[in-house]
Amino acid sequence: MCALRLILSLMVLAALLCMAGPVAASPETTERAKKFIAEHEDKVRPLDIAAGIAWWNANISGKDEDFKKKEVAQNKIDEALSNREKFAELKKLKEAKDRGDIDDKITARCVDVLYLMYLEKQVDPALLKKITALANAVEQKFNVYRAKFDGQEMTDSEVRKVLKNSIDSERRRNVWEASKGVGAVVAGELKELVKLRNEMAKQLGFKNYHALQLHLNEQNGDDLLKLFDDLDQLTRDPFAAAKADIDQRLARNYSIKVADLMPWHYHDPFFQESPAVYQANLDAPFAKADIVQLCRDFYASIGLPIDDVIARSDLFERPGKSPHAFCTDIDRAGDVRVLANIVPNEYWMGTMLHELGHSVYSSKNIPMSLPYVVRFEAHILTTEGVAMQFERFSKSRAWLDKMGVKIDDPRAFDEAAAKVQRNQLLIFSRWCQVMLRFEKSMYEDPDQDLNKLWWDLVEKYQLVKRPPHRNAPDYASKIHIVSAPVYYHNYMMGQLFASQVHHTIAKEVYNGADPSMVIYVGDKRVGDFMKKKVFEPGRTLDWQGLTKHATGEALSPKSFAADFKGK
Ligand SMILES: [Zn+2]
């Protein structure tokens, strides 16, 4: 970017404005802000790129030296953002911006975005070190912990296997309880970590770490609870009905009464996923499908081609490679890549639609004319939302039909897929209620009876019974509470965003068509809509502004809930 020319033209502009007489905004301040933004970009962009490439290489190779390079690059970024003098200057700019002194909207927005990035790093380095060390120690304990049962150690996937397949209630109970044992191992240190994180938040002027994290992500606790209360209302009955059906099937499988179902009777340790109780083979249509070609054809057909992304991506299993999937925008200038491990089944069809959904919502379609600082997605929840909006098509018979994927028994696929989709979303939404409310309350008062708080919430929102007389720190067996704090709610809000944008497309592009019939294939108007309404603003809008811009309304659970009606 040509910062010098920008600054020169601004100086001319500033001079002109001075001659024109007094204005509310100060051209000098705007100029100072632009200079700060340009300097930030010059310094941090190469570090971002280095970190992005190191991260990519590390995940492909699995080599320690690549992970080390990533860490070095990340430390340099942190060092740049923790610079005290820079932050002091930025703080002045932010105050000036809040007074209305910066007349250029995008520059003002850049100041807000940068302020939050730097604020996060203005912590006493000794305290930060203590927090990182403690979090690492707890994570380490998670990694080495093995559930012990019958004198044998079990890996995480062995535990899951028992929970998925065993019909012996006693065995299930023992394995479930053993898997929760890690909670007791880490609970003490977790509490210490929570208190240190709260101390860090207080240093920055926030009442606790939860409030700080939300603030850094342009969210606040009261608004969030209101949104989740609305979501609770709209999902409570459909969830109860879906769960009643699941419970009946589970009880039958274990030859017990529904009333005797306990937490260990669900198929994963937290009942965050839908138990496999429906005889549905969603994988069959994909056994012979070319998943990459389907994605290429689909995205090209809606005017969002991804051939360049595919060419740079690493999509199939290899030794040493990360088993997961992700999409990364390396340079915010079009170098966008996907890492995946495709096998021909429904999971990977959905995952590829998801990751490539992230890839179209990137610097591929966010204009280069925007400053680097805001040339990326508005928020984690909006990019997850877009990815989920496309991911859902792997369970749509109409979509598969139109894409030319042959289904032997379309009616059976339709019924099963709709049910699985619906149950997954409902179950996940109730689980997110527990996570959000637990974390918020835990950071507000870490010394309360957390064991009780956890099970009160699980009973209320997931309708899962607390085992009689159980008094154990079961919340502490969820690693996300340690390693990805105050984050889960964004996935849920992403789902709401996905539904709301999809319903808007049905209304505006398809003239009010039934959203469940709208499948996008072959319609370039969809790509146009996504570009104009969702991608092109980048981070010049916050997530609320973008939701309004794209859908005309604030984010709400209305569309998400409507997706469950009549199915
Ligand atoms: Zn994602």
Side-chain angles (χ1 to χ4, degrees):
M1 135 167 208
C2 187
L4 186 64
R5 197 192 304 158
L6 198 66
I7 290 162
L8 285 175
S9 63
L10 269 164
M11 285 165 75
V12 175
L13 185 69
L16 284 174
L17 280 171
C18 280
M19 286 191 294
V23 284
S26 143
E28 291 83 5
T29 311
T30 307
E31 185 194 328
R32 255 174 47 225
K34 290 207 174 186
K35 184 163 172 279
F36 188 97
I37 294 161
E39 283 172 3
H40 167 89
E41 177 179 342
D42 286 347
K43 169 110 190 162
V44 172
R45 184 164 183 254
L47 300 176
D48 280 346
I49 293 173
I53 288 175
W55 170 244
W56 175 260
N57 290 339
N59 278 284
I60 300 283
S61 72
K63 282 189 192 148
D64 285 349
E65 62 197 71
D66 288 323
F67 280 104
K68 194 78 210 156
K69 276 186 200 160
K70 152 80 178 150
E71 202 185 311
V72 170
Q74 188 58 50
N75 287 342
K76 282 189 190 158
I77 294 171
D78 288 348
E79 205 184 298
L81 299 183
S82 61
N83 183 300
R84 298 279 149 134
E85 290 90 75
K86 284 269 170 201
F87 183 66
E89 161 72 357
L90 182 55
K91 200 165 176 214
K92 276 190 219 141
L93 288 170
K94 162 91 170 119
E95 283 158 7
K97 180 247 138 200
D98 289 343
R99 285 194 306 268
D101 271 2
I102 296 177
D103 54 2
D104 177 67
K105 255 186 163 162
I106 290 182
T107 304
R109 176 65 185 152
C110 288
V111 168
D112 279 339
V113 171
L114 285 173
Y115 181 75
L116 293 174
M117 283 169 63
Y118 281 71
L119 173 65
E120 188 184 7
K121 309 290 177 185
Q122 304 304 310
V123 189
D124 168 22
L127 177 60
L128 193 58
K129 225 170 164 182
K130 231 160 121 185
I131 290 174
T132 310
L134 189 53
N136 285 343
V138 177
E139 270 182 63
Q140 194 86 36
K141 284 193 177 167
F142 258 99
N143 290 341
V144 300
Y145 180 84
R146 295 286 177 273
K148 280 192 204 76
F149 172 57
D150 257 359
Q152 275 195 322
E153 292 200 336
M154 301 177 82
T155 64
D156 197 47
S157 64
E158 282 164 343
V159 167
R160 284 171 174 275
K161 220 167 166 182
V162 171
L163 293 180
K164 194 156 182 200
N165 299 319
S166 172
I167 53 165
D168 176 350
S169 286
E170 201 46 35
R171 181 171 162 74
R172 297 184 70 89
R173 178 192 183 138
N174 287 322
V175 168
W176 181 87
E177 280 180 353
S179 81
K180 298 285 167 182
V182 69
V185 174
V186 301
E189 279 171 315
L190 176 61
K191 187 181 276 193
E192 211 181 310
L193 183 62
V194 166
K195 288 183 174 176
L196 287 176
R197 282 174 174 166
N198 277 349
E199 198 181 320
M200 162 182 159
K202 282 188 186 122
Q203 279 188 3
L204 298 178
F206 293 83
K207 58 181 196 239
N208 61 57
Y209 182 75
H210 199 269
L212 166 67
Q213 280 304 310
L214 292 184
H215 180 84
L216 293 173
N217 286 291
E218 308 192 286
Q219 296 169 332
N220 88 63
D222 292 341
D223 291 350
L224 228 53
L225 276 193
K226 164 106 190 33
L227 183 71
F228 274 67
D229 281 343
D230 291 346
L231 178 65
D232 169 34
Q233 282 239 319
L234 289 165
T235 53
R236 195 182 301 144
D237 293 343
F239 170 73
K243 181 169 174 291
D245 187 36
I246 289 169
D247 280 355
Q248 259 184 16
R249 289 163 190 259
L250 287 173
R252 206 181 308 140
N253 290 352
Y254 306 131
S255 311
I256 59 176
K257 287 196 269 267
V258 168
D260 294 333
L261 283 171
M262 297 307 291
W264 46 84
H265 286 116
Y266 297 90
H267 285 187
D268 70 276
F270 296 95
F271 189 35
Q272 63 182 94
E273 292 154 23
S274 181
V277 288
Y278 298 99
Q279 304 299 325
N281 188 357
L282 299 186
D283 291 335
F286 300 99
K288 292 203 182 94
D290 182 341
I291 285 177
V292 176
Q293 194 58 42
L294 282 168
C295 289
R296 254 187 228 277
D297 292 348
F298 169 63
Y299 280 103
S301 84
I302 60 172
L304 299 171
I306 43 133
D307 293 326
D308 57 328
V309 178
I310 299 287
R312 279 187 295 264
S313 291
D314 193 305
L315 300 176
F316 297 95
E317 292 174 306
R318 258 188 304 120
K321 182 178 157 180
S322 158
H324 305 296
F326 63 81
C327 173
T328 179
D329 187 343
I330 299 279
D331 60 357
R332 298 192 202 170
D335 181 353
V336 181
R337 311 172 186 184
V338 168
L339 180 144
N341 293 273
I342 300 174
V343 284
N345 59 25
E346 192 272 326
Y347 172 81
W348 279 102
M349 182 76 244
T351 301
M352 284 309 290
L353 286 169
H354 179 109
E355 299 306 336
L356 290 163
H358 284 304
S359 88
V360 293
Y361 185 7
S362 69
S363 55
K364 266 174 70 60
N365 290 307
I366 300 172
M368 284 301 287
S369 56
L370 290 183
Y372 179 77
V373 171
V374 288
R375 201 191 308 140
F376 66 129
E377 68 272 2
H379 196 273
I380 180 82
L381 82 84
T382 62
T383 183
E384 286 306 333
V386 168
M388 296 189 242
Q389 184 186 342
F390 291 116
E391 176 188 344
R392 293 180 186 175
F393 286 126
S394 69
K395 293 191 181 71
S396 159
R397 181 183 57 82
W399 186 86
L400 289 167
D401 262 351
K402 195 94 184 245
M403 292 302 299
V405 179
K406 197 176 164 315
I407 306 174
D408 286 335
D409 187 347
R411 277 255 309 260
F413 182 90
D414 224 8
E415 254 176 58
K419 196 159 232 168
V420 170
Q421 176 97 291
R422 184 173 188 273
N423 286 348
Q424 273 179 4
L425 292 176
L426 278 170
I427 288 167
F428 185 70
S429 90
R430 305 305 288 185
W431 163 244
C432 288
Q433 294 276 358
V434 172
M435 285 295 278
L436 171 72
R437 290 167 200 273
F438 178 80
E439 281 194 293
K440 185 167 188 295
S441 186
M442 174 178 72
Y443 282 104
E444 278 165 1
D445 178 11
D447 287 319
Q448 66 180 303
D449 186 345
L450 295 172
N451 301 0
K452 179 176 180 310
L453 171 67
W454 177 258
W455 279 106
D456 284 351
L457 291 168
V458 169
E459 287 195 322
K460 179 169 180 192
Y461 292 99
Q462 293 185 285
L463 305 178
V464 171
K465 256 184 260 150
R466 155 186 357 222
H469 315 299
R470 186 163 179 86
N471 182 17
D474 294 325
Y475 60 91
S477 66
K478 183 72 194 165
I479 190 164
H480 293 77
I481 290 183
V482 178
S483 62
V486 202
Y487 193 83
Y488 239 91
H489 62 278
N490 286 314
Y491 287 116
M492 191 62 241
M493 292 165 82
Q495 293 284 11
L496 306 187
F497 186 81
S499 290
Q500 196 163 319
V501 170
H502 179 67
H503 281 236
T504 306
I505 290 175
K507 194 168 95 196
E508 289 179 13
V509 180
Y510 291 88
N511 304 317
D514 172 358
S516 70
M517 306 306 287
V518 171
I519 50 171
Y520 305 170
V521 182
D523 198 333
K524 298 215 164 36
R525 293 175 305 169
V526 174
D528 287 343
F529 179 95
M530 293 304 288
K531 277 196 241 179
K532 216 175 284 143
K533 297 288 192 153
V534 182
F535 303 159
E536 282 174 7
R539 197 162 278 201
T540 60
L541 298 175
D542 63 14
W543 63 272
Q544 286 167 305
L546 185 76
T547 309
K548 265 244 163 78
H549 178 74
T551 71
E553 284 178 39
L555 186 69
S556 93
K558 254 186 346 203
S559 303
F560 179 77
D563 285 338
F564 299 132
K565 287 222 180 88
K567 278 184 190 161

